[in-house]
Amino acid sequence: MRLAVLSDIHGNYEALEACLEQIAAAGVDGYAFLGDLVGYGPDPGRVVDIISELNARGAIVLKGNHDEAIERGADRMTGIAAEAILWTRIQLNERQKAYLAQLPLTEARDNVMFVHASAARPETWPYVDSTASAVACLAASGTRLTLCGHTHLPRLFHQLPGRSVEDFVPVANRKVPFSSARRYLGVLGAVGQPRDRDPRACWVLLEPDGLTYFRVGYDFDATMRKIKAAGLPEWLGTRLATGR
Amino acid sequence: MIDSPRVLAPGLEIDQFRLKERIFTGGMGSIWRVDLTDDSTLSTGGSEIILKIPFISAGSDVAAIVAFEIEEMIMKRLYGPHVPKVYATGDLSKIPYIAMEFVEGAPLSSMLLGVPVSPEEVLRVGRLMTRAVADIHRQHVIHLDLKPANIIMAKRGAVLIDFGLARHDELPDLMGEETRLPVGSAAYMAPEQTVGDRSQPSSDLFAIGAILFELASGVVPFGVPVTTHGLKQRMDIDLATLTPKLSVLPPGLAEIILRCLEPKPENRYPTADQLLFDLNHPDRVVPTERLTRRPKRWLERLGNWWAKPPPEPRRKQGNMAQHLALAPVILAAVDLSHGSDQLAESVRLYVRRALEAEPFARLACVTVLKSKVIGEDPLHDSEGRSAYHGRLVALKEWARPLASDDDTISYHVLEGVDAGATILDYVVNNSIDHIVMGARSSSTLRRHLGSVSSKVVAGAPCTVTVVRLRAGGETDQSELPEEAESP
């Protein structure tokens, strides 16, 4: 079973398209989208349509905090994020909004837990960005592998039973083999708004024997032009060029 | 999981292997010669197979599990003549094992019975070891437990075994923070390893230095401390205290060994390839103040200790490829048979650009002196010697504008019938990363015979920059026949 896992697409059609092309070339048996389909980016409707279509054909699709904010409001978000949510809400039609509203927070399959933020109280959207938060997430998931997103920073935590949780920054396109003695917690990089100073879109290939963090270059100039044309905050475009 | 090593006995079948004879038992596991079972589909090309089986049971030391995980992960990814070939591995959740090629040869530890050995032998062993280490470094792996028992001197070169403490710089370090105490062999362990830094390729160069020191002097440089405190003392070691034990060696070799043993990684050779280069040319190694320093008095040492902040383990990731790229060995092959002409000057310009881009590069300048008849050695008659020295002077003169310090530049007049083949030989033996050489403008005759540069480009295992003058810039040379061209 080869599964393509993507997170934090954030309405970036160009980045999603580049990932899907590479995934099609690699050949996979299924897809999982770990939430934040919309927010920040200029193509929320188009992205929702593509992903809901894959969902109808069996893909796992989860809800992120930006997807939730479409329905519940952006009062817990910072200025630029909240501004983008207000804009996005106008762009989406009723069907697309209803689709986002019904998405689940978690899904577990074959000893793998999928979640947007953390398996520990996922509805409160905690970040897995430290050893302590990884410990909490691993304790709550109970599965051998947990995959999440939300931070936009690729990380791979691993742990031998009864030992401390170890932290690793995955190297692009280099498969990390699983050891059957360990548990793993993979935090995905973002498809649509990378923040680890690598502007390339990130997706992850899950295979029975390991995990590969792929990075794909895409036409972020096109996305930047659309962000500007849409009247969204300009920083949402310029950050794409540097991956910050 | 196997719950006790007693279960293992000749005749027992594990997957496609049948245990034949136990050849080693240690603290962490045992090693067995095995046969393939009748239904095995494995093709081993006739080489004998051994199974390395860790002792792992409920409540067993986590170090054994981690060592197996690391060795399995890393050995499966290494290839080439300097590591045993791995045929299969058994999963930790079932019966863990690594099935690998049995490497014919003697461990380097068996040589230690005859120490000290001659300087020539120290150099020979050093070259073999360093070549093997350079190869695994190129594959992103640091061994971190090099010692004579882990180096097999085989027909095909040195073969490194036991990767249970190794590190792959693009994969997670399975040696957890809490187990990251000084692990490794006390006699050969680099200072930075004693504080848990597992990210330095030059930790392996330190171990090579310690082994060469032992081969040359008969004793290990820092003794075999048994406490962590004792181990950490090598961070403050004064190299001057080691020099007397190397006084019988040629100064070049002593300098090489001491440079490997520098307490700070950045003061050692930047890469294994650069160490190999010096081991290939010990006579060209310029002794530095390493050999002449006097030991510090106790008050000076105290001052050092006082001023030094506590060492911080450095954590770096993914730096090996960049590191190797920053410290290449560059070969400038220049044709001085017509003196330093326009083409030679142009070659120098491109060499300068390569050096400016790569701050830790070292430069080998070569020129080929053609011997006319196979078997005749012109260096042995006075005319030959004078030709050799004349060319060496010309080469140094050509390179003078490039020279910054004597440490990083060397000069070699090679001799051979076929200039291209001579250069290629040199490139292979010295792990050259980048060749810069000139090509004469095209002529009918040269197209027909094939030029030196095209031969080098076709055969070189590395990057080649071919410098050619724009057409018209070299009319007087372009009609020279192939025989006249000898970089």
Side-chain angles (χ1 to χ4, degrees):
Chain A
M1 176 77 177
R2 289 158 59 85
L3 193 71
V5 192
L6 304 88
S7 189
D8 297 275
I9 300 91
H10 285 295
N12 187 333
Y13 168 76
E14 287 75 23
L16 175 63
E17 196 60 17
C19 289
L20 292 178
E21 261 177 42
Q22 194 184 53
I23 291 165
V28 295
D29 306 308
Y31 295 84
F33 294 89
L34 306 189
D36 278 2
L37 280 58
V38 303
Y40 300 132
D43 279 315
R46 204 170 174 188
V47 165
V48 169
D49 288 348
I50 291 170
I51 293 175
S52 60
E53 170 65 29
L54 287 167
N55 196 357
R57 288 192 270 147
I60 294 169
V61 183
L62 303 177
K63 186 188 286 182
N65 53 317
H66 287 252
D67 308 321
E68 184 195 61
I70 297 299
E71 176 195 2
R72 293 211 186 159
D75 49 315
R76 295 193 341 175
M77 288 181 161
T78 56
I80 285 181
E83 196 181 333
I85 289 297
L86 294 177
W87 179 89
T88 303
R89 195 182 276 163
I90 300 164
Q91 310 303 311
L92 296 173
N93 62 35
E94 290 311 312
R95 181 182 50 79
Q96 289 160 338
K97 281 192 259 191
Y99 174 76
L100 291 179
Q102 56 79 44
L103 290 173
L105 287 180
T106 63
E107 172 122 14
R109 244 184 232 185
D110 304 328
N111 215 1
V112 184
M113 163 79 93
F114 301 93
V115 63
H116 177 66
S118 167
R121 304 187 62 218
E123 70 286 354
T124 62
W125 312 110
Y127 289 102
V128 177
D129 58 356
S130 62
T131 308
S133 50
V135 169
C137 179
L138 281 163
S141 81
T143 48
R144 193 175 150 235
L145 171 65
T146 307
L147 291 173
C148 67
H150 194 38
T151 65
H152 300 210
L153 299 170
R155 292 282 272 280
L156 182 62
F157 297 93
H158 54 101
Q159 181 184 31
L160 272 180
R163 311 293 290 186
S164 63
V165 170
E166 305 290 336
D167 183 359
F168 176 68
V169 179
V171 174
N173 310 323
R174 167 66 93 164
K175 181 169 169 176
V176 177
F178 290 137
S179 161
S180 61
R182 280 173 200 259
R183 294 180 66 206
Y184 292 88
L185 166 55
V187 184
L188 275 69
V191 172
Q193 196 192 73
R195 291 181 193 163
D196 61 344
R197 294 176 184 264
D198 181 347
R200 295 176 297 174
C202 179
W203 68 278
V204 162
L205 176 64
L206 170 60
E207 296 170 279
D209 60 342
L211 207 57
T212 314
Y213 284 68
F214 283 101
R215 300 305 287 257
V216 196
Y218 72 96
D219 184 4
F220 52 71
D221 286 322
T223 318
M224 283 165 74
R225 282 194 297 272
K226 288 183 188 174
I227 285 171
K228 200 170 176 192
L232 283 161
E234 208 157 329
W235 165 239
L236 293 176
T238 47
R239 70 185 305 174
L240 296 179
T242 50
R244 292 175 61 192
Chain B
M1 283 194 197
I2 296 175
D3 54 10
S4 153
R6 279 183 304 254
V7 182
L8 300 174
L12 179 72
E13 292 191 0
I14 300 176
D15 296 344
Q16 49 192 329
F17 306 98
R18 187 186 306 113
L19 301 187
K20 197 160 71 177
E21 177 198 1
R22 187 167 59 203
I23 55 176
F24 176 81
T25 306
M28 300 269 233
S30 57
I31 296 175
W32 290 74
R33 284 183 200 269
V34 296
D35 290 321
L36 294 178
T37 57
D38 300 335
D39 53 354
S40 167
T41 54
L42 204 63
S43 152
T44 63
S47 54
E48 199 175 348
I49 308 172
I50 54 170
L51 240 57
K52 186 169 179 179
I53 308 173
F55 297 148
I56 291 171
S57 58
S60 73
D61 185 1
V62 74
I65 297 176
V66 173
F68 175 80
E69 284 184 300
I70 292 177
E71 186 153 45
E72 190 214 15
M73 177 174 88
I74 287 181
M75 284 199 78
K76 272 162 89 171
R77 281 163 182 78
L78 285 170
Y79 55 87
H82 301 294
V83 288
K85 186 170 167 49
V86 171
Y87 293 108
T89 58
D91 197 276
L92 263 172
S93 60
K94 299 175 191 122
I95 300 177
Y97 65 83
I98 299 173
M100 64 182 108
E101 161 203 18
F102 175 73
V103 179
E104 294 278 359
L108 185 56
S109 45
S110 63
M111 258 187 83
L112 295 175
L113 300 171
V115 292
V117 302
S118 69
E120 293 71 35
E121 188 64 0
V122 174
L123 285 167
R124 188 186 70 87
V125 172
R127 285 194 286 265
L128 290 169
M129 272 196 298
T130 307
R131 206 174 271 281
V133 167
D135 191 22
I136 67 162
H137 284 184
R138 269 191 287 275
Q139 298 180 58
H140 294 275
V141 172
I142 318 173
H143 189 288
L144 295 173
D145 193 20
L146 287 177
K147 55 184 173 183
N150 285 345
I151 301 165
I152 310 285
M153 306 308 271
K155 266 201 195 116
R156 66 191 198 223
V159 178
L160 310 179
I161 59 168
D162 205 344
F163 286 82
L165 298 178
R167 171 82 203 274
H168 190 299
D169 83 331
E170 293 190 336
L171 295 175
D173 189 1
L174 301 180
M175 189 77 67
E177 290 283 0
E178 58 197 329
T179 37
R180 207 171 286 161
L181 294 165
V183 281
S185 303
Y188 310 98
M189 193 194 302
E192 61 275 14
Q193 287 177 266
T194 67
V195 290
D197 181 355
R198 294 172 37 80
S199 67
Q200 306 290 336
S202 78
S203 297
D204 285 347
L205 306 188
F206 183 94
I208 289 176
I211 295 168
L212 295 182
F213 187 98
E214 185 178 13
L215 286 171
S217 72
V219 293
V220 287
F222 308 104
V224 188
V226 289
T227 63
T228 305
H229 175 74
L231 260 178
K232 288 183 179 174
Q233 282 182 335
R234 66 189 59 181
M235 302 190 75
D236 299 315
I237 199 78
D238 186 356
L239 284 183
T241 61
L242 299 177
T243 325
K245 297 201 181 84
L246 299 177
S247 58
V248 295
L249 296 185
L253 177 54
E255 170 76 21
I256 292 171
I257 293 175
L258 289 176
R259 184 162 175 198
C260 289
L261 293 174
E262 281 282 355
K264 290 200 172 103
E266 60 269 27
N267 293 334
R268 297 175 208 144
Y269 286 93
T271 64
D273 279 335
Q274 293 208 11
L275 167 59
L276 179 62
F277 190 89
D278 274 3
L279 288 167
N280 276 331
H281 308 95
D283 302 342
R284 309 284 167 84
V285 174
V286 182
T288 66
E289 44 87 39
R290 276 189 195 99
L291 285 180
T292 50
R293 269 183 293 207
R294 62 173 178 82
K296 289 193 183 96
R297 290 171 216 270
W298 70 269
L299 204 61
E300 289 176 300
R301 280 171 188 269
L302 192 65
N304 272 358
W305 172 80
W306 199 251
K308 185 178 289 190
E312 284 285 325
R314 275 183 297 177
R315 304 284 307 280
K316 279 195 235 159
Q317 269 190 2
N319 66 348
M320 250 168 100
Q322 295 159 10
H323 179 79
L324 289 177
L326 283 175
V329 184
I330 298 173
L331 179 91
V334 59
D335 175 8
L336 297 171
S337 53
H338 317 291
S340 184
D341 56 13
Q342 215 181 334
L343 180 61
E345 279 169 31
S346 195
V347 168
R348 189 170 58 214
L349 174 69
Y350 280 88
V351 170
R352 185 199 301 280
R353 286 179 188 169
L355 290 174
E356 280 168 359
E358 287 151 344
F360 302 107
R362 63 176 304 158
L363 175 66
C365 303
V366 307
T367 190
V368 179
L369 191 60
K370 279 203 170 182
S371 42
K372 297 215 165 40
V373 185
I374 297 169
E376 185 193 328
D377 186 355
L379 298 186
H380 286 177
D381 63 51
S382 64
E383 196 184 324
R385 267 199 303 278
S386 110
Y388 175 90
H389 285 297
R391 198 61 74 79
L392 188 61
V393 167
L395 185 62
K396 287 186 173 172
E397 185 56 29
W398 171 82
R400 200 162 45 87
L402 295 170
S404 50
D405 79 72
D406 286 340
D407 235 309
T408 57
I409 185 162
S410 59
Y411 311 92
H412 314 269
V413 176
L414 310 178
E415 184 226 337
V417 177
D418 176 335
T422 307
I423 291 170
L424 283 175
D425 263 4
Y426 187 88
V427 164
V428 170
N429 285 329
N430 291 288
S431 296
I432 300 295
D433 297 295
H434 184 179
I435 306 166
V436 182
M437 66 185 301
R440 299 287 174 202
S441 313
S442 182
S443 73
T444 315
L445 183 62
R446 187 165 289 122
R447 271 200 298 276
H448 181 63
L449 292 171
S451 69
V452 174
S453 60
S454 62
K455 179 159 191 171
V456 170
V457 168
C462 66
T463 301
V464 185
T465 300
V466 176
V467 179
R468 178 169 273 158
L469 296 175
R470 281 195 165 278
E474 212 205 5
T475 44
D476 55 332
Q477 300 286 351
S478 63
E479 298 309 317
L480 289 170
E482 162 65 14
E483 275 69 29
E485 185 186 357
S486 57

